[in-house]
């Protein structure tokens, strides 16, 4: 097996989707074999593409709040791995960012996740990550998140923490009341365990 450092070098040199990326190639992820928590998300947005730092935006602020952790803990790859379905910003469509490029996950996901041997919790954010990690067992993102106990405590499906989802959060108060306290407790347990 390729060392994780050699694999990351290969990932950062990838040009598989270059012809389809209007803003260019810039894989954004965070990985270390010691990580116990994985954030399996969609794809970097424009701000993250520009900074090269995963979740370095309003979505990241909300996600860290949901998890109950600081930026320092969040950006410690020995504690939290961040591997989106698409590693590069796919560009913007009519109603938000385009979906992750379909070439990316088949090329890189299995080799990257194969290095996470201490993984105990995977946060599965958004419909593309949920389809990959949970399969087609849920009719919608809301159904997947409502069924969170079916996957607990190893996997937790989440809505995207984007401010664009404020309406979803208002319509689903059970998420904040039931899911977030369980998430914070589990994250604290793993980070101190």
């Amino acid at each position: 097996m390729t060392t994780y450092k050699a694999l990351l070098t290969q990932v950062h040199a990838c040009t598989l989707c270059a012809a389809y990326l209007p803003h260019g190639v810039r894989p954004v992820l965070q990985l270390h074999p010691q990580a116990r928590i994985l954030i399996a998300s969609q794809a970097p947005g424009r701000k993250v593409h520009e900074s090269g730092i995963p979740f370095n935006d309003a979505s990241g602020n909300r996600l860290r709040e949901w998890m109950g952790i600081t930026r320092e803990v969040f950006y410690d790859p020995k504690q939290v791995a961040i591997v989106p379905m698409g590693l590069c910003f796919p560009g913007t469509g009519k109603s938000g960012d385009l979906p992750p490029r379909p070439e990316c996950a088949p090329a890189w996901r299995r080799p990257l996740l194969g290095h996470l041997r201490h993984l105990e919790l995977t946060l599965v954010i958004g419909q593309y990550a949920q389809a990959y990690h949970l399969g087609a067992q849920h009719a919608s993102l809301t159904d997947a998140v409502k069924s969170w106990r079916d996957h607990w405590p190893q996997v937790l499906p989440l809505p995207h923490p984007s401010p664009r989802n404020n309406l979803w959060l208002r319509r689903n108060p059970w998420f904040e009341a039931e899911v977030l306290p369980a998430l914070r407790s589990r994250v604290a347990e793993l980070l101190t365990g």
Side-chain angles (χ1 to χ4, degrees), residues 32-38 78-79 113-122 186 190:
H32 190 281
Q34 291 179 10
R36 296 174 76 188
I37 298 170
L38 167 64
K78 291 182 178 178
Q79 298 190 66
L113 299 188
H115 285 280
L116 298 175
R117 295 192 187 96
H118 299 284
L119 197 60
E120 294 190 48
L121 174 63
T122 300
R186 179 83 171 122
L190 292 175

Side-chain angles (χ1 to χ4, degrees), residues 29-96:
L29 71 158
Q30 174 174 300
L31 184 87
H32 190 281
Q34 291 179 10
R36 296 174 76 188
I37 298 170
L38 167 64
I39 297 171
S41 54
Q42 305 278 93
R46 183 185 48 79
K47 287 183 181 179
V48 169
H49 173 79
E50 291 169 359
S51 72
I53 301 169
F55 282 100
N56 188 31
D57 54 14
S59 296
N61 294 338
R62 178 176 272 165
L63 181 57
R64 288 184 285 279
E65 180 185 315
W66 285 357
M67 295 173 72
I69 60 175
T70 63
R71 282 182 67 89
E72 291 73 30
V73 170
F74 187 83
Y75 289 116
D76 179 352
K78 291 182 178 178
Q79 298 190 66
V80 178
I82 304 169
V83 183
M85 297 304 298
L87 300 174
C88 295
F89 173 47
T92 305
K94 291 180 182 176
S95 60

